[in-house]
Amino acid sequence: MRGKFLLLVLLVVSLPGLISAESGEKLWLRYVPVSETVLDDYSTLDNIYAEGESPVINVAKEELLRALEGMTGMDVEINKKLSGSSVYLGVGLHEKLELPGIEEHLNTCGDEGFVIREIGGEKGLRIVITANTDAGVLYGTFAFIRKLQNEEEIQGLDIVEAPKYQHRLLNHWDNLDGTVERGYAGHSIWWNRERSFDDLKEDYVVYARANASVGINGTVLNNVNANPDVLTDEYIEKFARFAEVLRPYNIKVYMSVNFSSPAIIGNLEDSDPLKDEVREWWKNKVKEIYDEIPDFGGFLVKANSEGQPGPQDYGRTHADGANMLAEALEPYNGIVMWRAFVYAPSGDDRAKQAYKEFVPLDGEFHENVIVQVKNGPVDFQPREPFSPVFGAMEHTPLMIEFQITQEYLGFSNHLAYLPTMQKETFESDTYVNGAGSTVAKATDGSLFDQKHTAIAGVANIGRDTNWTGHHFAQANWFAFGRLAWDHTLRADEIGREWLGMTFSNDSAFVKPTLNIMMRSREAVVNYMTPLGLHHLMGWSHHHGPEPWTEIEDARPDWLPKYYHKASKDGIGFDRSTSGSDAVSQYEEPLASMYNNPQTCPENLILWFHHLPWNYTMSSGLSLWDELCYHYYDGVEEVRLMQKKWDRLDGFIDAERFEHVQHKLKIQSREAEWWRDACLLYFQTFSEMSIPPELERPVHDLEELKKIKFDMTHHN
Ligand code: GCW
């Protein structure tokens, strides 16, 4: 009865203009009523049986209850006995229910995979969600809920899944003073000075549910530029409290540590990793942590990078440093994630440095060390080739670090759906073991035997009501989790799921919006850094174009000119064998392919080559004209995004609709800013004009150079 009544109410409420306002605070876990087409089927799921009473199982049960009640309008019961139930959750249920065939599936599921099966019954549909562990049941439950949110057919459901990576982590670059490095969604959710832990506890639960719903099972709560205080009693206690809230959602906490902690907070003479007292200090510290947090995940370390201390300060190697920490963590099964983001103003091409420092150390790291490699050899640019470190360290587990926060893709002002970029990285072929040796395979354990597999995403989360600043930036958090679970998922599939859960399943809404999302990253590449250009942004804030920047005393590799090398004779960074020879860090046939401008993919051509302005591109256009077309295409694409979005008025609540509309306006203006700044500046070298068929720039170069960016608006 109640279900039917609710449906009526719903029909009225969903008339255009009457859709109730939403702030985005519930993320993709809104559990709004489903449409009539699936309601009958879903309404048979009115009774849940859960095996066991662990906190994880209780969370799964409660979530399913909430989801079913929200989506069907029914009262759902928790059944204490097996018989007469319609959804069964728990470990070992296939035996109790005598279901053949599930055992074999479970053998392939590992610790966190699951089986979902619809087993039919006299009264209607019956669903079993089972796994080898309670955590697997939790993930299975969320996967099932996702299907319901997407209004999928559940009759005959038969799903077996297991995650591709073992450790799937968010990295928060959150400082203990509450600011977030490269964060564009407000202050830190963890280190808030005004609001107490208890005050924010409900938010932590939403955070935990969101992460569990996509399979994220670890989180680093503080910035890699780590404050040593994090290892004091005060902060260990705080970490323990966070761990307690996150534990029922199968999320472990991790800590970024400062390599000089023994000297800074331990009062030791120094932090030399080969000194006994330093090693002892870390062992004791690790014990203190595990006394408080028995399932603590481990450490993340940025060492000898951008001014951070590290083992090289004492003439030791990255392996010496990492292994010292690994030894301390080993008795508790903790891991060390040691970042390979290193570069120094050595005169050598920055893109080559991680490879040069780390590849010679292959085989020297302990088993519980994972080397964390950024997805581009320079930084998180809108497009870079994959890092040549992937595939080059057969005896060392490597993990990809993606950036979910849009440091170089328009902050939280630009709609840039990142999975298309991440898929490009996953699917890049390293050729290290012949064709098909993709980056995904070189990191997920299928190419090399490795004890640990992992992946990390730098979070885009803050205290903004909608968590991520831009409503569409939520999609990047969601999608990171989905890809960490299964990197073979398609970007559009994930986008489709997210849209259905977050906004609407109406295909008249989903299709154009998905189209906007799928084209958005290439739009950003085009209006910021087409054809392999990179690092053209303001050198400190990283927002907006400043290809002209010159700063005396600044490190050259922080300035755009180091990367674009525009001059009268052309543009681009020569990384060919006659240049920095970065191409040789790649296996054949890649090295030769990249080395020759004729065979180098044009979307990376200026990454690998310095070419004359009149160089003929495959289109027949000169490089200069081609560059102009790319920049203009980028701007046009954003205008198209705006038009498509404007037509969707009425499909979703006005609050979120208008918020996105407003952000698209900013993006459109900033795309023009990028285009004009880069083209007008490069034109001073090329001395060629913007093709007459293209519209005139709307800015004046000298005016653009005067813009002073105020970071305070973005934090
Ligand atoms: O790209 C740079 C960022 C820094 C960041 C660094 C890193 C946390 O601009 O803000 O520091 O990368 O990844 O360590």
Side-chain angles (χ1 to χ4, degrees):
M1 271 309 277
R2 213 179 130 207
K4 292 262 156 58
F5 171 71
L6 207 115
L7 191 77
L8 254 181
V9 173
L10 229 198
L11 284 173
V12 177
V13 172
S14 54
L15 289 173
L18 289 174
I19 305 173
S20 42
E22 289 197 46
S23 63
E25 66 190 333
K26 293 183 184 165
L27 294 158
W28 48 88
L29 302 175
R30 293 155 60 248
Y31 305 146
V32 294
V34 289
S35 65
E36 214 169 345
T37 40
V38 289
L39 188 62
D40 278 353
D41 266 359
Y42 292 6
S43 295
T44 62
L45 308 176
D46 56 358
N47 192 314
I48 304 171
Y49 171 83
E51 179 77 14
E53 282 288 338
S54 76
V56 176
I57 285 293
N58 285 339
V59 157
K61 184 169 66 187
E62 290 303 320
E63 192 73 29
L64 186 59
L65 182 89
R66 180 205 295 239
L68 282 171
E69 292 197 337
M71 287 190 271
T72 64
M74 304 181 293
D75 286 325
V76 174
E77 269 175 51
I78 300 291
N79 199 359
K80 293 275 175 228
K81 41 182 210 331
L82 210 55
S83 64
S85 303
S86 47
V87 190
Y88 304 83
L89 305 180
V91 176
L93 281 176
H94 60 293
E95 283 161 2
K96 289 201 166 179
L97 292 165
E98 294 176 20
L99 299 171
I102 287 195
E103 185 86 45
E104 291 118 69
H105 287 327
L106 287 175
N107 290 340
T108 66
C109 280
D111 280 348
E112 293 184 335
F114 54 79
V115 176
I116 307 175
R117 189 178 282 185
E118 196 270 303
I119 55 170
E122 277 156 31
K123 281 197 337 190
L125 301 178
R126 287 193 307 156
I127 303 281
V128 179
I129 302 174
T130 189
N132 296 314
T133 63
D134 289 349
V137 174
L138 178 68
Y139 295 136
T141 304
F142 272 114
F144 180 63
I145 293 173
R146 186 164 57 239
K147 303 233 163 265
L148 303 181
Q149 288 178 283
N150 277 289
E151 303 196 352
E152 287 180 31
E153 168 95 66
I154 52 169
Q155 213 160 14
L157 211 59
D158 191 6
I159 298 174
V160 186
E161 285 191 23
K164 296 268 190 250
Y165 294 99
Q166 223 178 316
H167 309 286
R168 305 173 296 278
L169 278 85
L170 287 182
N171 287 182
H172 289 269
W173 285 356
D174 292 21
N175 298 312
L176 304 187
D177 66 1
T179 57
V180 181
E181 183 155 350
R182 313 303 177 187
Y184 316 107
H187 277 238
S188 169
I189 58 169
W190 308 113
W191 313 113
N192 204 288
R193 286 194 167 160
E194 281 106 54
R195 313 268 310 267
S196 70
F197 173 87
D198 289 329
D199 239 6
L200 293 173
K201 200 163 167 190
E202 273 176 35
D203 286 353
Y204 298 136
V205 171
V206 177
Y207 170 90
R209 289 171 52 227
N211 280 323
S213 78
V214 289
I216 288 170
N217 65 2
T219 179
V220 184
L221 304 180
N222 64 310
N223 192 355
V224 287
N225 291 326
N227 187 328
D229 286 349
V230 80
L231 286 166
T232 58
D233 291 351
E234 181 192 344
Y235 280 96
I236 293 175
E237 217 172 280
K238 289 185 178 177
F239 268 75
R241 270 196 296 178
F242 291 131
E244 210 174 301
V245 202
L246 302 178
R247 190 169 292 123
Y249 299 85
N250 197 46
I251 300 169
K252 284 185 180 177
V253 300
Y254 295 75
M255 195 185 268
S256 294
V257 293
N258 183 301
F259 198 79
S260 284
S261 301
I264 302 172
I265 59 162
N267 294 321
L268 297 191
E269 203 176 300
D270 62 38
S271 302
D272 182 346
L274 296 193
K275 276 194 180 162
D276 286 343
E277 63 264 32
V278 173
R279 302 172 83 82
E280 215 34 51
W281 188 88
W282 281 108
K283 280 190 181 145
N284 291 333
K285 197 40 92 182
V286 166
K287 181 174 181 311
E288 280 171 38
I289 297 174
Y290 278 92
D291 283 346
E292 295 294 322
I293 314 169
D295 55 353
F296 178 68
F299 292 145
L300 170 63
V301 193
K302 170 174 177 177
N304 292 120
S305 160
E306 297 188 329
Q308 292 300 316
Q312 292 175 348
D313 303 350
Y314 309 98
R316 317 297 185 197
T317 68
H318 286 291
D320 293 330
N323 290 343
M324 168 189 64
L325 298 177
E327 258 170 48
L329 288 158
E330 208 263 337
Y332 312 92
N333 293 321
I335 57 172
V336 179
M337 292 161 292
W338 191 270
R339 294 176 90 227
F341 178 65
V342 292
Y343 65 104
S346 61
D348 202 358
D349 175 5
R350 171 172 163 186
K352 286 166 59 185
Q353 295 184 25
Y355 182 104
K356 279 176 72 174
E357 268 187 48
F358 278 85
V359 175
L361 298 174
D362 189 22
E364 289 183 26
F365 292 95
H366 281 203
E367 246 185 5
N368 56 334
V369 176
I370 313 179
V371 173
Q372 181 165 323
V373 184
K374 278 193 185 182
N375 73 320
V378 164
D379 213 339
F380 298 116
Q381 296 297 297
R383 171 167 285 121
E384 295 188 37
F386 72 88
S387 166
V389 180
F390 292 120
M393 296 179 70
E394 218 178 297
H395 306 289
T396 311
L398 299 183
M399 62 191 280
I400 306 186
E401 176 180 317
F402 285 128
Q403 195 179 42
I404 310 171
T405 190
Q406 293 166 230
E407 177 179 358
Y408 300 106
L409 288 96
F411 291 10
S412 58
N413 282 326
H414 295 202
L415 192 165
Y417 180 56
L418 302 178
T420 47
M421 171 160 87
Q422 293 154 354
K423 288 290 287 182
E424 199 170 284
T425 305
F426 280 128
E427 288 168 4
S428 294
D429 200 339
T430 68
Y431 289 94
V432 286
N433 268 2
S437 310
T438 59
V439 169
K441 288 188 183 156
T443 51
D444 73 2
S446 50
L447 206 58
F448 310 120
D449 194 25
Q450 47 192 76
K451 186 165 173 210
H452 291 280
T453 60
I455 182 161
V458 180
N460 61 351
I461 296 162
R463 293 267 314 126
D464 276 5
T465 309
N466 70 9
W467 294 87
T468 54
H470 199 308
H471 287 289
F472 276 82
Q474 293 182 0
N476 292 329
W477 173 7
F478 175 88
F480 167 75
R482 296 291 288 130
L483 284 172
W485 181 269
D486 183 359
H487 54 63
T488 69
L489 291 172
R490 295 199 321 258
D492 63 309
E493 276 178 277
I494 299 172
R496 164 72 192 80
E497 285 177 352
W498 177 79
L499 283 170
M501 298 162 88
T502 308
F503 287 115
S504 161
N505 280 304
D506 187 335
S507 68
F509 171 82
V510 170
K511 275 195 200 167
T513 314
L514 193 54
N515 178 273
I516 291 174
M517 290 163 75
M518 290 299 288
R519 297 164 65 100
S520 59
R521 179 269 186 142
E522 204 59 38
V524 177
V525 171
N526 278 334
Y527 63 70
M528 286 188 183
T529 50
L531 301 178
L533 287 173
H534 47 290
H535 225 283
L536 303 181
M537 69 295 153
W539 75 288
S540 63
H541 47 71
H542 295 180
H543 181 82
E546 288 185 19
W548 45 77
T549 316
E550 301 211 52
I551 296 169
E552 240 180 276
D553 303 333
R555 281 175 54 162
D557 52 357
W558 279 344
L559 302 180
K561 288 185 166 195
Y562 172 91
Y563 301 94
H564 63 68
K565 303 213 184 315
S567 68
K568 288 221 177 319
D569 67 10
I571 182 168
F573 198 123
D574 184 1
R575 297 191 164 103
S576 71
T577 43
S578 48
S580 80
D581 196 25
V583 290
S584 298
Q585 293 184 339
Y586 293 92
E587 284 288 322
E588 288 297 358
L590 287 182
S592 302
M593 183 182 83
Y594 287 147
N595 194 43
N596 178 351
Q598 298 296 321
T599 54
C600 180
E602 284 191 348
N603 62 14
L604 289 172
I605 201 162
L606 301 178
W607 180 280
F608 286 111
H609 297 279
H610 186 83
L611 298 172
W613 296 105
N614 62 3
Y615 175 83
T616 308
M617 303 292 285
S618 61
S619 61
L621 297 179
S622 68
L623 170 60
W624 166 255
D625 279 1
E626 185 77 29
L627 202 60
C628 292
Y629 269 97
H630 275 273
Y631 273 108
Y632 275 83
D633 281 353
V635 171
E636 279 308 318
E637 185 68 42
V638 181
R639 290 177 184 160
L640 209 56
M641 284 156 74
Q642 285 184 285
K643 281 196 196 126
K644 289 177 193 163
W645 186 254
D646 285 347
R647 282 200 292 263
L648 296 173
D649 196 359
F651 278 95
I652 62 165
D653 59 289
E655 195 180 7
R656 289 187 296 166
F657 177 78
E658 282 163 18
H659 194 264
V660 172
Q661 206 170 33
H662 167 71
K663 291 278 187 183
L664 284 171
K665 232 177 243 158
I666 300 178
Q667 184 170 4
S668 184
R669 265 204 320 267
E670 295 191 346
E672 285 175 355
W673 173 28
W674 269 94
R675 176 196 69 189
D676 291 356
C678 296
L679 285 181
L680 291 173
Y681 172 68
F682 292 141
Q683 192 176 24
T684 62
F685 301 102
S686 77
E687 293 176 346
M688 293 163 91
S689 44
I690 293 172
E693 63 276 20
L694 298 174
E695 77 183 27
R696 297 300 86 205
V698 294
H699 299 96
D700 171 81
L701 181 60
E702 293 315 309
E703 290 300 315
L704 288 175
K705 285 187 182 175
K706 285 188 213 136
I707 295 179
K708 287 273 168 286
F709 181 72
D710 181 0
M711 194 68 194
T712 49
H713 296 312
H714 288 274
N715 250 323

